C-alpha cells in the first residue's frame, strides 16, 4: 500500500507511539490491560496507515473541457454563486465532504497554471457545515488553463487543523496531479464557471482524479 509523502511526520510519530504501546503491553502483568494496550497499538497503527494511503488513479485521457474531482468523498453542495475572489463572475460551487475514512490527498481538477493562492487560518467548524467554507483554516488555489479558470478550496475540519499544500503562484499542474492533502476530516470546494454542465448529484460519492464533476457544454 502506497502512503502519501504529505503525512510522513504524522505517520512516524503515530507509529512510534503505537510501538511504545505495544512494547508496554508486553510487560504488563494484568492480562486485560495487556490485551487493551496491544489492541490500541494495533488499531492506532492500522488507522494511521489506512488514513494516509495514496492509491493510484486512472486519469481520463480526454481531459479538455472537463473538471475532475479534486478529492474523494460525498457531494454535499451544488449551487449557483457569484465568485468575487478569482473568477470575478457568476459561477457554480460543488462541495465535497471527506470523512476520516476517505483518501485525503487532493488532486488538480484541471491542467493549468496556478495564478492565485491564499492561505487563511481559521476556526474548527465541522467540515460538512456550510459555514466551514468561510470560517475554517483553508487554502484557495486558482488555476487557469487559458480556456477557463477554476478555484479550489482546501478546508480543514473540526478534528484537526492541518492543511498541506506545497504549491505556489506560477506552478504548473497536470489534471489529476497530487498537490496536497487535508488531515483528519475535511471538505473541498470547487468553484467553476457558470456555463459548466454539472455531471454529479447531491449525495453522490466521488473519486479524486477520476470522477468528472462538470464539463463545458461544447466539450
Amino acid at each position: 500500500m502506497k502512503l502519501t509523502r504529505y503525512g510522513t511526520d504524522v505517520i512516524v510519530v503515530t507509529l512510534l507511539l503505537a510501538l511504545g504501546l505495544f512494547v508496554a503491553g508486553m510487560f504488563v502483568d494484568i492480562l486485560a490491560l495487556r490485551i487493551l494496550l496491544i489492541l490500541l497499538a494495533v488499531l492506532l497503527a492500522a488507522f494511521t496507515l489506512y488514513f494516509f494511503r495514496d492509491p493510484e488513479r486512472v486519469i481520463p485521457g480526454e481531459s479538455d473541457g472537463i473538471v475532475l474531482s479534486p478529492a474523494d468523498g460525498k457531494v454535499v453542495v451544488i449551487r449557483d454563486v457569484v465568485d468575487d475572489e478569482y473568477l470575478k463572475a457568476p459561477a457554480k460551487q460543488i462541495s465535497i465532504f471527506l470523512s476520516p475514512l476517505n483518501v485525503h490527498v487532493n488532486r488538480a481538477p484541471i491542467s493549468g497554471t496556478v495564478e492565485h493562492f491564499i492561505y487563511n487560518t481559521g476556526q474548527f467548524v465541522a467540515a460538512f457545515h456550510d459555514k466551514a467554507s468561510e470560517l475554517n483554516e483553508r487554502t484557495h488555489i486558482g488555476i487557469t488553463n487559458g480556456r477557463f479558470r477554476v478555484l479550489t478550496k482546501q478546508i480543514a475540519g473540526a478534528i484537526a487543523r492541518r492543511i498541506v499544500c506545497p504549491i505556489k503562484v506560477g506552478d504548473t499542474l497536470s489534471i489529476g496531479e497530487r498537490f496536497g492533502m487535508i488531515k483528519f476530516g475535511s471538505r473541498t470546494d470547487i468553484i467553476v464557471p457558470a456555463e459548466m454542465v454539472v455531471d454529479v448529484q447531491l449525495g453522490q460519492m466521488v473519486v479524486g482524479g477520476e470522477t468528472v464533476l462538470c464539463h463545458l457544454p461544447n466539450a
Side-chain angles (χ1 to χ4, degrees), residues 157-185:
I159 300 175
R161 188 166 63 183
R162 183 70 176 93
I163 293 175
V164 181
C165 190
I167 61 175
K168 61 185 183 302
V169 171
D171 286 351
T172 299
L173 298 174
S174 297
I175 190 168
E177 178 183 348
R178 300 169 179 86
F179 70 82
M181 78 173 298
I182 319 168
K183 298 179 181 178
F184 303 115

Side-chain angles (χ1 to χ4, degrees), residues 29-88:
D29 293 329
I30 302 173
L31 180 60
L33 183 56
R34 180 189 306 167
I35 293 174
L36 177 61
L37 289 174
I38 292 175
L39 181 61
L40 285 175
V42 172
L43 290 176
L44 179 61
F47 175 76
T48 300
L49 296 176
Y50 183 74
F51 181 86
F52 288 101
R53 69 197 186 281
D54 186 10
E56 296 297 332
R57 295 291 160 80
V58 180
I59 312 301
E62 297 296 328
S63 59
D64 186 40
I66 69 171
V67 176
L68 291 186
S69 177
D72 289 24
K74 181 179 180 180
V75 177
V76 293
V77 173
I78 300 175
R79 66 182 179 187
D80 295 326
V81 296
V82 175
D83 178 53
D84 295 323
E85 178 183 344
Y86 178 58
L87 274 64
K88 305 292 185 182

Side-chain angles (χ1 to χ4, degrees), residues 132-143:
S133 297
E134 304 171 11
L135 300 177
N136 283 14
E137 181 199 22
R138 59 203 183 277
T139 61
H140 296 187
I141 306 119
I143 307 171

Side-chain angles (χ1 to χ4, degrees):
M1 177 175 60
K2 180 179 179 181
L3 300 177
T4 176
R5 61 187 176 90
Y6 302 127
T8 302
D9 54 343
V10 177
I11 293 170
V12 170
V13 171
T14 53
L15 289 184
L16 287 174
L17 176 59
L19 179 61
L21 287 172
F22 183 85
V23 172
M26 297 298 294
F27 289 94
V28 172
D29 293 329
I30 302 173
L31 180 60
L33 183 56
R34 180 189 306 167
I35 293 174
L36 177 61
L37 289 174
I38 292 175
L39 181 61
L40 285 175
V42 172
L43 290 176
L44 179 61
F47 175 76
T48 300
L49 296 176
Y50 183 74
F51 181 86
F52 288 101
R53 69 197 186 281
D54 186 10
E56 296 297 332
R57 295 291 160 80
V58 180
I59 312 301
E62 297 296 328
S63 59
D64 186 40
I66 69 171
V67 176
L68 291 186
S69 177
D72 289 24
K74 181 179 180 180
V75 177
V76 293
V77 173
I78 300 175
R79 66 182 179 187
D80 295 326
V81 296
V82 175
D83 178 53
D84 295 323
E85 178 183 344
Y86 178 58
L87 274 64
K88 305 292 185 182
K92 289 178 180 174
Q93 173 186 331
I94 301 172
S95 299
I96 301 160
F97 172 69
L98 294 74
S99 80
L101 299 180
N102 289 124
V103 173
H104 276 57
V105 175
N106 290 124
R107 291 174 176 267
I110 62 173
S111 295
T113 302
V114 178
E115 63 175 12
H116 176 81
F117 184 91
I118 294 177
Y119 170 78
N120 295 282
T121 58
Q123 302 178 23
F124 293 93
V125 176
F128 57 81
H129 196 289
D130 195 45
K131 285 293 183 181
S133 297
E134 304 171 11
L135 300 177
N136 283 14
E137 181 199 22
R138 59 203 183 277
T139 61
H140 296 187
I141 306 119
I143 307 171
T144 180
N145 61 9
R147 190 175 182 186
F148 60 89
R149 298 188 293 174
V150 168
L151 178 64
T152 301
K153 301 179 181 180
Q154 295 175 294
I155 304 165
I159 300 175
R161 188 166 63 183
R162 183 70 176 93
I163 293 175
V164 181
C165 190
I167 61 175
K168 61 185 183 302
V169 171
D171 286 351
T172 299
L173 298 174
S174 297
I175 190 168
E177 178 183 348
R178 300 169 179 86
F179 70 82
M181 78 173 298
I182 319 168
K183 298 179 181 178
F184 303 115
S186 54
R187 170 171 161 162
T188 303
D189 289 353
I190 185 159
I191 312 297
V192 301
E195 64 268 25
M196 284 280 183
V197 178
V198 177
D199 296 305
V200 293
Q201 300 177 338
L202 283 175
Q204 180 176 334
M205 300 302 296
V206 295
V207 178
E210 290 190 0
T211 303
V212 177
L213 293 183
C214 52
H215 68 275
L216 288 174
N218 57 345

